[in-house]
Amino acid sequence: MAGNVLIEMLPDLVVLLRRDGVVLAHGGGHDVSALRPPQHAIGERLDRLWPEPVATLLRQLMRKVLAQRAAMGDAFQYDGRDYEVRVSAQGPDRAVCVIRAAQRDARTDTSDTGERPQPHLDRRGFLKRFRESMSRAALRESPMAVAVIHIDGIGDIAQVLAVTTAEHVMSAAIRRLPALADDSGGKPGWYLGQIGESLLALVLESSDRDAIEGCVSQVCANLREPVETGGAEFHLTPYAGVAILGQDASSPRMLLDNARAAASDARRSSGTGVRFFSDTVRLRGLARLDLTRELRAAIAEGHFRLRYVGRHDLASGALLTQVGYLRWHHALRGEVRPAEFLRVAETTGLALALSRALLARLREDWIELANGANPGVRISFGPLRHHVLHEEFADDIRRFLDQAGMPAESLELRIAEKSFIAQQPAQLVAIERLGVRLVVDEVGRGLASLDWLARAPIWGLQLDRAWVTQLRTDEVARKVCGAGIGVARALGLTPIATGVDDGAQRDALLALGCRHGSGDLYRGAAMHVDSAESSGDAAASA
């Protein structure tokens, strides 16, 4: 297999594991030969290859990674040597473990020398120092707080480019942080550690909220500065949450958990300021637990629907495509916006089940559409990111067409730009060969390259709605729309606009060379399925 050849070329020990702990593939290991399993290890369980402490650690990490859909790292000792391990999910039932010999560099505490504190890039070393700091603070009754900073963008870099690239960008961003420990300036002493793929923890010797906010804000401002590496420029977005010792928690684990909850709250609300943990954050967390239970039940009972909006020829007004958008009408909550539950679905592993449930719903909608007034009109569906990246995505689309009795040329799949470029080319080619039309959605927001778009088997590019709605009032939006339309036309693709709400927007898009669009200008042309529930505003794209 080509995948095994690539794994074998890696310098670190790489092991592909199934959820039950069975080794599916392995390679590398040149620097960790003491741990490298024999070739016949494929098909064996972890506990038959390595001592119980190592096997148990890997199993626990793998289960957490598969449950939380987030990469994790840890450290362990074997045969008198220190090792670091990093585990990343590969689909719903497999994980990749990367093991390397621990490096003992730049991890010493320089607080006594007046130099900038060096970050602890190994989680275990940082957590050990963190626990010691908490013990001293409790004994001396001295103030202490911890800020957890979630750095948006690292996960995308790891998935779209490479994990090593993401690690390099993260390290570069950390090591250029300014020296903030300055007793003479009234700023709290601090030190930093990395506790996850996209997570930093900043420990501060203070309980003064203004001083903490100033310190953490300065770190976040520095992290927002572009990181240049390998001839490319990367933009990161930090979200920070703070928990204070004694006020919010009295144990290391709870203090970190509460700070992380505050950071997650800031991320959900897209807040750029520092979020302090509070009872409100705790209650919102409990509410999300309730939402998770309701989400799981709604998927099982088929409560999700697709609301259809017509896409038209902007010049003639002719209806071309019925575009489906995700809706959830809750019996008690009423209309629940996708922004409120999609992040929950992604982080709880429900996104794949939800996307497949929507595909099943689409089968019923197609029957009504085929028997309606516009039988020749296409139907457009936006699968969720976790579904698009799943290894069985192409097979799911093939089964859907067979079971629905739907001609492949009548189906359009809208795939968000970031998901599209992370998908395996073979999957996309397989879908395109079925005759299904592929459209890259949210153009102008993601990371796609012209080379990728030129080679991909796609039919159209759909502009991000945020740019289209500002087309007539914002010069930057007009330039972005013009650039997106120009790229589409240059590559022989069809430019598509959403958010066409009035005639002036339509005329502006036509002048730029875009003929396909949807929006309030054509409100009356939408397909109504399950009309008792079809009222309400258009939801965000699924």
Side-chain angles (χ1 to χ4, degrees):
M1 292 175 60
N4 289 346
V5 173
L6 291 175
I7 286 177
E8 181 64 31
M9 293 171 62
L10 297 173
D12 303 310
L13 175 58
V14 182
V15 184
L16 179 63
L17 296 175
R18 203 166 62 198
R19 180 185 289 271
D20 58 4
V22 172
V23 176
L24 299 178
H26 66 82
H30 309 302
D31 295 330
V32 285
S33 56
L35 276 171
R36 185 174 184 178
Q39 187 60 38
H40 61 75
I42 296 176
E44 293 285 349
R45 298 179 64 86
L46 282 174
D47 49 16
R48 295 185 178 180
L49 301 176
W50 292 316
E52 182 59 28
V54 177
T56 299
L57 173 65
L58 294 180
R59 282 199 304 269
Q60 290 174 345
L61 279 175
M62 177 177 61
R63 289 167 184 166
K64 289 180 181 179
V65 164
L66 293 177
Q68 299 179 23
R69 299 297 192 273
M72 295 183 181
D74 210 327
F76 64 92
Q77 286 189 331
Y78 176 73
D79 197 25
R81 293 192 64 184
D82 293 330
Y83 295 93
E84 298 171 350
V85 57
R86 181 183 183 81
V87 184
S88 305
Q90 296 289 311
D93 300 308
R94 300 187 302 174
V96 169
C97 300
V98 178
I99 302 173
R100 58 169 62 93
Q103 301 296 318
R104 302 178 180 276
D105 58 348
R107 293 178 186 164
T108 57
D109 182 4
T110 58
S111 56
D112 293 336
T113 66
E115 298 178 12
R116 179 170 66 86
Q118 295 294 320
H120 282 260
L121 299 183
D122 66 301
R123 184 175 182 178
R124 179 166 292 185
F126 167 77
L127 292 177
K128 179 180 179 181
R129 181 178 179 185
F130 174 52
R131 286 191 291 268
E132 292 172 351
S133 297
M134 281 200 66
S135 299
R136 287 196 300 270
L139 286 172
R140 300 173 184 174
E141 297 184 351
S142 56
M144 179 178 167
V146 62
V148 168
I149 304 173
H150 179 101
I151 304 186
D152 242 10
I154 291 294
D156 288 332
I157 295 170
Q159 191 165 36
V160 173
L161 299 178
V163 171
T164 52
T165 303
E167 291 174 343
H168 186 76
V169 171
M170 186 76 154
S171 296
I174 292 172
R175 295 187 184 282
R176 72 178 185 188
L177 290 175
L180 298 182
D182 183 0
D183 295 334
S184 62
K187 296 177 181 177
W190 65 284
Y191 60 89
L192 181 73
Q194 185 173 355
I195 59 173
E197 177 187 63
S198 307
L199 295 176
L200 301 177
L202 187 67
V203 180
L204 304 110
E205 300 168 359
S206 176
S207 60
D208 184 299
R209 292 187 172 229
D210 290 338
I212 292 170
E213 184 171 5
C215 181
V216 177
S217 296
Q218 188 173 343
V219 171
C220 290
N222 192 270
L223 290 170
R224 276 191 288 270
E225 292 294 321
V227 178
E228 295 185 6
T229 180
E233 188 175 87
F234 297 91
H235 295 261
L236 307 176
T237 305
Y239 297 100
V242 175
I244 299 175
L245 178 64
Q247 299 180 24
D248 301 319
S250 56
S251 70
R253 182 185 180 88
M254 284 301 298
L255 201 61
L256 278 174
D257 285 349
N258 290 347
R260 186 183 306 188
S264 298
D265 198 58
R267 186 180 178 218
R268 274 185 291 271
S269 62
S270 299
T272 56
V274 179
R275 186 70 52 92
F276 285 84
F277 183 78
S278 65
D279 288 338
T280 303
V281 172
R282 182 184 287 110
L283 290 173
R284 277 199 285 263
L286 294 174
R288 283 190 293 275
L289 287 176
D290 290 337
L291 184 62
T292 301
R293 287 190 288 267
E294 293 173 348
L295 186 61
R296 184 176 286 108
I299 293 171
E301 297 167 10
H303 288 172
F304 287 94
R305 298 290 184 268
L306 290 165
R307 178 184 184 272
Y308 291 90
V309 175
R311 182 191 299 153
H312 296 255
D313 185 303
L314 295 180
S316 68
L319 179 64
L320 303 173
T321 306
Q322 293 283 9
V323 185
Y325 292 94
L326 174 60
R327 294 181 64 249
W328 181 16
H329 187 82
H330 192 280
L332 298 178
R333 299 173 185 259
E335 190 75 23
V336 185
R337 297 182 303 110
E340 297 179 37
F341 65 83
L342 281 183
R343 185 67 64 83
V344 174
E346 292 170 353
T347 55
T348 56
L350 294 173
L352 177 61
L354 173 55
S355 190
R356 283 174 166 166
L358 290 171
L359 199 58
R361 179 68 194 182
L362 186 67
R363 184 167 58 243
E364 301 174 22
D365 294 348
W366 164 249
I367 296 173
E368 183 168 339
L369 177 64
N371 296 328
N374 298 286
V377 172
R378 283 183 173 83
I379 194 166
S380 178
F381 172 65
L384 299 183
R385 177 182 177 87
H386 283 68
H387 194 187
V388 172
L389 300 181
H390 193 270
E391 58 189 4
E392 296 181 3
F393 178 57
D395 292 334
D396 285 347
I397 299 302
R398 187 180 295 108
R399 281 192 293 268
F400 162 76
L401 293 172
D402 292 340
Q403 295 170 4
M406 182 180 186
E409 60 270 16
S410 296
L411 176 63
E412 174 186 289
L413 295 178
R414 303 185 323 279
I415 301 176
E417 189 175 13
K418 283 199 278 190
S419 301
F420 192 88
I421 60 178
Q423 176 56 284
Q424 294 296 323
Q427 288 255 47
L428 300 174
V429 171
I431 293 172
E432 191 267 343
R433 285 178 177 171
L434 293 173
V436 174
R437 175 182 287 179
L438 294 174
V439 170
V440 179
D441 203 356
E442 299 178 355
V443 171
R445 187 189 297 182
L447 302 165
S449 68
L450 294 178
D451 178 69
W452 178 262
L453 293 176
R455 297 173 185 273
I458 56 180
W459 176 82
L461 299 181
Q462 182 159 287
L463 301 174
D464 187 55
R465 180 185 178 90
W467 297 116
V468 177
T469 55
Q470 300 178 57
L471 178 62
R472 293 183 297 111
T473 58
D474 188 325
E475 183 62 25
V476 173
R478 182 176 178 82
K479 289 179 180 178
V480 171
C481 289
I485 293 168
V487 166
R489 291 169 63 86
L491 297 178
L493 306 176
T494 302
I496 305 166
T498 56
V500 186
D501 298 334
D502 55 46
Q505 279 180 307
R506 176 198 60 201
D507 295 342
L509 288 164
L510 283 170
L512 291 172
C514 178
R515 290 181 58 92
H516 292 216
S518 61
D520 288 348
L521 181 63
Y522 306 101
R523 181 181 291 275
M527 168 188 170
H528 296 286
V529 177
D530 230 356
S531 58
E533 297 182 4
S534 61
S535 62
D537 297 333
S541 169

